[in-house]
Amino acid sequence: MSDDAHLRVLNSPQFHELVRRRAGFAWTLSIIMLVIYFGFIALVAFAKPLLAMKVGGGVTSLGIVLGLVVIVAAFLLTGIYVRRANGEFDEMTARLKAEQQS
Amino acid sequence: MRRLLWVAALLAATGTVAHAAGALEGQVDRQALNWAAIVMFLLFVLGTLGITWRAAMQTRSAADFYAAGGGITGFQNGLAIAGDYMSAASFLGISGLVFASGFDGLIYSIGFLVGWPVILFLIAERLRNLGKFTFADVASFRLEPTSIRILSATGTLVVVAFYLIAQMVGAGKLIQLLFGLEYLYAVVIVGILMIVYVAFGGMKATTWVQIIKACLLLAGASFMAFMVLWRFGFSPEAMFAEAVRVHPRADAIMAPGALVSDPVSAISLGLALMFGTAGLPHILMRFFTVSDAQAARKSVFYATGFIAYFYILTFIIGFGAITFLMTDDSFYTADAAGVINRITGLLGGTNMAAIHLSTAVGGSLFLGFISAVAFATILAVVAGLTLAGASAVSHDLYAEVIARGRADEQKEVRISKLSAVVIGIVAIMLGYVFENQNVAFMVGLAFAVAASCNFPVLLMSVFWKGATTRGSLIGGFLGLISAVAMVVLSKAVWVQTLGFAQAIFPYDNPALFSMTIAFVGIWFFSKTDTSAQAAKEKAGFDAQYVRSETGIGASSAHVH
């Protein structure tokens, strides 16, 4: 890529809008994932009795339910990101590329 | 996909033959079980060698060899990534952990899984936009290529070496147990097959071996989990209740136990599992096999789904093993006093829980299938590791460091193939040398090094404008050395392997400390770097930034 090409992109407001939106979204989701995971690890380390608590009147413990919730949450978060990135963000990128070539 | 179905159909069709053979021999001798496994494994080998032969016909350029010509779809790549991740160690190890201690097994699975969303949000598409064949391409985009490639190749080879030793030793023992083959033969067979896959078929064959194995493993594990749940009328509560009733530790298996002893070890392990994934060279390489950033994202989405599903299966399988095996004496050996320990007395150890469960739910034929899949799993994972190691030698060390970027492509590919052969032979020797060593810590060490060397260098070069070559080089090596040193000084090596009385490093996992050292090292030695080279590297950030965010100017792995 030549120097002017990347300077043109850098000066484009569309580029900054794309990066701002995507970075905000990606970091928000990352932080949600980190909080969920390290929250779970913190419970394992500091609140073992809480995780041992029974739910639903049987032997199933809160720890097992929360563990499965973490697994499902990880999958859902990737789905949420891919949906928006492959739609909205890719359209913005495509428009930006088209603009650069014209 | 068509090839995949063909192999699956072939396996299904010949299953009946194996069954007939099993029935014939079964009355005479229990060795018949092994024949079913060996026949199915041979079919897997024949099928994958056929694929390797076809891949070899189509592999001409460097892009074909390292990145399967960029022609892998997001879905296929998702399966292959999941396959790289679903090693025999995680299948047998985690289900064995659940069998022995219940809930604690879940902590490991979750740690292995949660790295993926973060890789997707922050790394996957930038990697695809900036790189070509290895993650060193990304880190050396604006930094000085020679030093950065020496660093990344070292990080890659160290991770590959530890991971390979753990896999080879595990393979030898597992095959000894399942097939009745000599340890050395088993290690040699694994070594030779992985050399053939990588040296002849390159990334294309390695990927397809991985995809087929992932499908077989998911199918086998699904069947086992289904049979377990079926017995309990598809009520997990009923399964847990029965497990609590028969397990010696009773209700303790439903709550966190001794696995996580102190908070520092817990967080350190969590960091290593989460960010180590983002620094594993054989996983990072997979992002260059797809056509663009969109396909890279899709691959992580599918991979996360498959891995999540797989870990839920291993959890059910672990609990299933408790309920099916613990009440059946035929799966146990008694100790000297004639007492059966319901956990450690399991034939072959707790890691065999899933294997024994396959007999319990599907008979000897299904045992043969699961044994063959376990062997195939090891083979596929070591092939991926070998390819990553060979690429580090040829693409990073030879092409950039020794030939200074003037290597011709054909020669580079030849060196890569040669490296695959050498790595394979070294792996066989290491597998032999480490036969009677405790290698359980080595996978943990591989993750710790990946999290403390590869990942910080990659992340900082992409996200921080101020990162310079000097900072990355010093910080990366500090992370690498401190991770290895702390593992050597920890209980797993210092006490259990070297036999000293007291561990010098008090925690099980070094990542919390070694990652901090790496990041602070990169920051400090970049900040204090006032050379002209550093100024140039910082100025180069804008071009890298535009390309990493948009893919404008990104090279496609396709050859036009």
Side-chain angles (χ1 to χ4, degrees), chain B residues 4-12 40-41 43-45 47-48 79 83 86 91 208-224 309-310 313 366 368-377 380:
Chain B
L4 189 68
L5 289 173
W6 176 77
V7 173
L10 191 76
L11 275 172
M40 282 191 244
F41 178 70
L43 286 171
F44 174 83
V45 169
T48 49
L79 262 175
M86 301 184 294
F91 176 54
W208 278 102
V209 168
Q210 203 56 272
I211 291 174
I212 292 167
K213 164 230 131 170
C215 292
L216 293 174
L217 183 56
L218 285 171
S222 299
F223 175 73
M224 283 164 80
Y309 173 63
F310 175 73
L313 293 180
F366 189 63
F369 176 77
I370 287 293
S371 307
V373 169
F375 198 167
T377 295

Side-chain angles (χ1 to χ4, degrees), chain A residues 1 6 9-10 15 18-19 22 26-27 29-30 33-34 37-38 40-41 44-46 48 51-52 54 58-61 63-64 67-68 70-71 74-75 77-79 81-82 85-86 90 93 96-97, chain B residues 103 106-107 110-111 113-114 117-118 120-122 125 237 240-241 244 251 254-257 260 263 266-267 270-271 274-275 294 297-298 301 304-305 308 312 315 463 542-543 545-546 549-552:
Chain A
M1 183 170 46
H6 88 251
V9 177
L10 265 185
F15 173 71
L18 167 70
V19 171
R22 186 168 52 198
W27 281 105
L29 292 180
S30 301
M33 191 68 247
L34 288 171
Y37 175 54
F38 284 101
F40 179 74
I41 291 292
V44 168
F46 296 110
K48 289 192 167 97
L51 292 183
K54 299 296 177 195
V59 298
T60 309
S61 64
I64 288 186
L68 292 177
V70 177
I71 292 181
F75 179 61
L77 287 177
T78 59
Y81 180 80
V82 169
N86 282 4
D90 273 358
T93 310
L96 188 69
K97 280 183 181 167
Chain B
F103 176 84
L106 198 57
I107 303 174
I110 290 173
L113 180 72
V114 292
V118 177
L120 169 67
F121 305 151
L122 302 178
E125 50 196 278
E237 169 62 31
F240 291 140
V244 167
D251 199 39
M254 303 305 290
V260 178
I267 291 165
L271 282 172
M274 189 167 200
F275 296 111
Q294 190 171 60
R297 279 183 219 121
K298 279 187 193 156
F301 172 65
T304 313
I312 291 174
F315 192 63
F463 280 96
D542 285 347
Y545 181 58
V546 167
E549 294 290 340
T550 62
I552 293 173

Side-chain angles (χ1 to χ4, degrees), chain B residues 453-522:
Chain B
C453 173
N454 303 353
F455 173 70
V457 170
L458 186 63
L459 193 80
M460 293 293 257
S461 75
V462 172
F463 280 96
W464 186 40
K465 187 174 186 166
T468 71
T469 303
R470 190 179 85 149
S472 305
L473 195 63
I474 300 177
F477 272 115
L478 283 176
L480 173 71
I481 293 163
S482 59
V484 174
M486 283 186 247
V487 169
V488 170
L489 298 177
S490 75
K491 201 175 122 199
V493 182
W494 198 249
V495 179
Q496 287 167 5
T497 308
L498 298 177
F500 290 95
Q502 191 72 43
I504 295 174
F505 179 70
Y507 304 109
D508 299 334
N509 198 294
L512 179 60
F513 305 95
S514 51
M515 279 180 77
T516 310
I517 291 174
F519 276 109
V520 171
I522 295 174

Side-chain angles (χ1 to χ4, degrees), chain B residues 224-487:
Chain B
M224 283 164 80
F226 176 85
M227 293 303 281
V228 168
L229 288 174
W230 189 37
R231 179 176 166 191
F232 296 102
F234 296 97
S235 155
E237 169 62 31
M239 178 182 76
F240 291 140
E242 172 69 6
V244 167
R245 196 180 68 78
V246 300
H247 201 286
R249 298 175 53 194
D251 199 39
I253 58 171
M254 303 305 290
L259 178 75
V260 178
S261 41
D262 64 300
V264 174
S265 290
I267 291 165
S268 204
L269 175 70
L271 282 172
L273 296 180
M274 189 167 200
F275 296 111
T277 309
L280 290 177
H282 62 299
I283 303 265
L284 293 176
M285 255 190 111
R286 294 229 165 271
F287 290 107
F288 308 118
T289 65
V290 291
S291 55
D292 53 22
Q294 190 171 60
R297 279 183 219 121
K298 279 187 193 156
S299 6
V300 185
F301 172 65
Y302 289 121
T304 313
F306 288 125
I307 295 168
Y309 173 63
F310 175 73
Y311 283 144
I312 291 174
L313 293 180
T314 52
F315 192 63
I316 298 171
I317 289 170
F319 269 95
I322 295 174
T323 61
F324 275 78
L325 306 180
M326 284 193 176
T327 48
D328 187 341
D329 286 351
S330 66
F331 292 109
Y332 286 89
T333 47
D335 61 17
V339 181
I340 292 177
N341 181 321
R342 292 288 161 193
I343 299 170
T344 54
L346 191 69
L347 286 172
T350 53
N351 281 348
M352 288 296 118
I355 301 288
H356 292 313
L357 180 66
S358 69
T359 318
V361 300
S364 61
L365 180 67
F366 189 63
L367 168 71
F369 176 77
I370 287 293
S371 307
V373 169
F375 198 167
T377 295
I378 293 171
L379 211 48
V381 171
V382 293
L385 286 166
T386 306
L387 181 60
S391 312
V393 173
S394 62
H395 183 62
D396 296 334
L397 288 182
Y398 168 74
E400 290 293 336
V401 179
I402 297 169
R404 302 265 163 196
R406 290 188 301 266
D408 88 85
E409 205 177 283
Q410 290 308 316
K411 188 157 183 211
E412 189 186 319
V413 172
R414 267 204 308 281
I415 290 200
S416 196
K417 293 179 172 184
L418 190 68
S419 317
V421 176
V422 173
I423 291 174
I425 293 169
V426 171
I428 292 173
M429 293 195 304
L430 288 174
Y432 186 63
V433 169
F434 282 90
E435 178 180 352
N436 294 314
Q437 301 294 318
N438 172 13
V439 293
F441 66 89
M442 283 195 182
V443 170
L445 180 56
F447 269 80
V449 171
S452 317
C453 173
N454 303 353
F455 173 70
V457 170
L458 186 63
L459 193 80
M460 293 293 257
S461 75
V462 172
F463 280 96
W464 186 40
K465 187 174 186 166
T468 71
T469 303
R470 190 179 85 149
S472 305
L473 195 63
I474 300 177
F477 272 115
L478 283 176
L480 173 71
I481 293 163
S482 59
V484 174
M486 283 186 247
V487 169

Side-chain angles (χ1 to χ4, degrees), chain B residues 59-76:
Chain B
T59 297
R60 286 183 197 91
S61 64
D64 290 334
F65 185 80
Y66 295 119
I72 305 288
T73 68
F75 180 77
Q76 291 166 346

